[in-house]
Amino acid sequence: MNHIKLNKEKPANNEKKQHKESLLIKYGFIAFLEILTIISVFILVSLYTTKVPIKKLYNDSVNTFIDTEVNTVKQWFQNQVNSLNVFQSAIVNPNDNVSNIKRRIQSVTKPDGFEYVMVFWDTNTDAEDGGPETFNTKGGSSKSGILNLEYYKNHKNKNVAVWLESPRKVAAGGYTMPLFIRSDFIDDVTGETITGGIVGFLELQPITVLSSCFYKTGRVSVYDDKDEIRAGVDILAGDTSNLQVYKKTFVLSNKVWTVVASIETAEMESITNSLKTQSFVGGFIVAIILMILELLVIKRIIGKFDSIKKNIDDLNTGDKDLTKRLTVYHNNEISQVKKSVNTFVNTLHDTVKEIGEANQKLKTSFEQVKNNLGETTVQMNSISQAIESASEIRAEEDKNVMNTSELVEQISSNIKTLNQMIDSQVDAITQASAGIEEMIGNIQFITGSIDKMAGEFEELNAATLEGIEKNRTVNELLNTVLAQSKSLQDTNMVIATISSQTNLLSMNAMIESAHAGDAGKGFAVVAEEIRKLADTSATQSKSIGENLKLIAENIKKVVESADLSKASFEVVSEKTNNTSDLVYSIKKATEEQSEGSKNLLETLSKMNNISTSVQRSSKKIETRAQSVLESMTGLKESSLNMSQNFNKIVDMTSVTQQTTKNLDVLTVNMTEAVNGISEKIDEFKV
């Protein structure tokens, strides 16, 4: 192994001067601050939180006293109920009669705690109010009546088995509390079931000794269902502003009673302050103990590190011997530190050895690098010239790409304009097709209307012709009637002539009958009748003649009207024929227009299909133009990137040339540094 001394280097001017310090004092001061913080936090927490646990402690303790009093009162009441039940068993047997019960209640000693006990049964109605008479342990009975008493009403109305009545004053003074227990028995004489009850009047004096005191000022009192004091002092009657009052209700049979506990606020605060003081002193003592223990632990740990420092100083001797190691006795944290130091020394040993070998190879490599740098410089100059030439060609290509991109953008814009025009044309054709379809529908509707009109005109023309024919027939009939009326007039003239002649003959006959005298009287009568007949005929003929004249005149008027009607029918027929011809002409024109519209619609449909095909083709062209535009954009970006890369290559080439020069200088410097490292490494013993 080589033994070469390593010269110590002087510290740099900008390095801070190291000061000697004691870890025990340093970490002891830190421990003091920690303990001080713990004490402060503990005191603050104690000050702000002590009130809550103390209040809970008071509540728990007071509730314990209250529960004790409640249990005491309940136990007292249950004992009294049991005593009354025992007394009832002694005086009332299941099979008994009334006389025996009267005798026993007077002879059996009443139970303790009761002023007296009485018994009654419901079948008894000897009292003054019509209710049952009562018999008691005093040796007598009472007829004052119990119908209106609380326990009897509940016994009759609710059939209760046990009932506790509210406390009430008695004549002798004090208070009593009736306790009712139902009593049923069967009369051994009659065999009937008899219901009733036993009432024990509880003495309330024993309950007054049930209350107790706690702490110095704590008091407990018992109140009945009417909030009247039954045990202890009347806490609620006085001033409670300086008291902390607790209440708890409980049930005695059917009555709700209340236990009240109180304690003076001053005593509570005194106990609170005492607990706070005790907490503070205890916390301070614990903090001092913790600080001492922590200092001892720190001193112990620092002592372990002192031994490690001594061992490391032994390693750091002047001969730089990296073969020495620290001795490890235990498997704890300190031992882990020693193992880490040994591992570091092993690593340092291997590293120094590898650095020596690598340094030798580095010297050889630097010699080769120095020889290759000359050739690299020549090659870099050639590369730089080639890159400059390529940059000129690339600039020309960038210009061509930009021109092509502008042309493609212009073509794409024209294609978009063409697409918009085609879209407008398709929309116009679609609207025209819709309008023509609507017009065809209207023409078809008009054609149908004209067909109906033509049919109606045909019927009108036929009706007109029929009217003309019927008018002609009526004319002929009227002419015939007119001729016949003339014949009747002639006949009427003949009848008038005959009537005139007959009248003349009758006048001659009357003259002749007058000449004949009595023989001619009968003939005179006949002549008179003939004359009357002739006058009547003349009158009728005259009337008929006048009527025939009127008929003839009316027939002439009808014939004239018929002639006018015939002329009107002929005009209507002519106009109807003309209108029918016009309707047929319009029908033919609408049919031709409908056919032309259908042809136009077919043509528009073909134009729409062609426009749609053109539109699709235009869209495809636009899409492809867009793709070409995107490709040109990518090409522009690629060209831009290529330009940037060429610029970078040019810059890198310049940098590389400069770097080559710097490498040449650096190689010389590194060679000198490697030689210096070799001298330093040779100082270590490996």
Side-chain angles (χ1 to χ4, degrees), residues 220-251:
V220 178
S221 302
V222 181
Y223 293 83
D224 61 18
D225 60 316
K226 294 184 178 180
D227 291 334
E228 294 182 0
I229 187 68
R230 292 291 163 230
V233 296
D234 194 354
I235 298 173
L236 302 178
D239 183 14
T240 59
S241 60
N242 63 334
L243 300 177
Q244 185 72 28
V245 180
Y246 303 85
K247 292 183 180 181
K248 184 173 183 179
T249 58
F250 64 98
V251 177

Side-chain angles (χ1 to χ4, degrees), residues 452-462 575-576 579-580 583:
K452 291 181 181 179
M453 190 185 297
E456 291 175 356
F457 272 113
E458 289 178 356
E459 293 177 358
L460 179 61
N461 194 16
K575 297 296 182 181
T576 302
T579 304
S580 179
V583 169

Side-chain angles (χ1 to χ4, degrees), residues 413-427:
S413 176
N414 295 334
I415 291 173
K416 288 182 180 178
T417 304
L418 178 62
N419 279 338
Q420 294 175 356
M421 295 174 64
I422 292 172
D423 291 338
S424 301
Q425 181 181 2
V426 171
D427 294 338

Side-chain angles (χ1 to χ4, degrees), residues 328 330-343:
V328 179
H330 306 286
N331 187 16
N332 51 30
E333 288 77 2
I334 304 300
S335 300
Q336 295 297 324
V337 174
K338 291 182 177 181
K339 290 180 180 179
S340 298
V341 172
N342 289 337
T343 302

Side-chain angles (χ1 to χ4, degrees), residues 299-318:
K299 183 177 180 181
R300 178 70 175 174
I301 294 173
I302 292 174
K304 293 291 185 180
F305 279 103
D306 286 338
S307 63
I308 295 174
K309 177 179 177 299
K310 183 177 179 300
N311 292 331
I312 293 175
D313 289 338
D314 292 339
L315 289 175
N316 191 20
T317 56

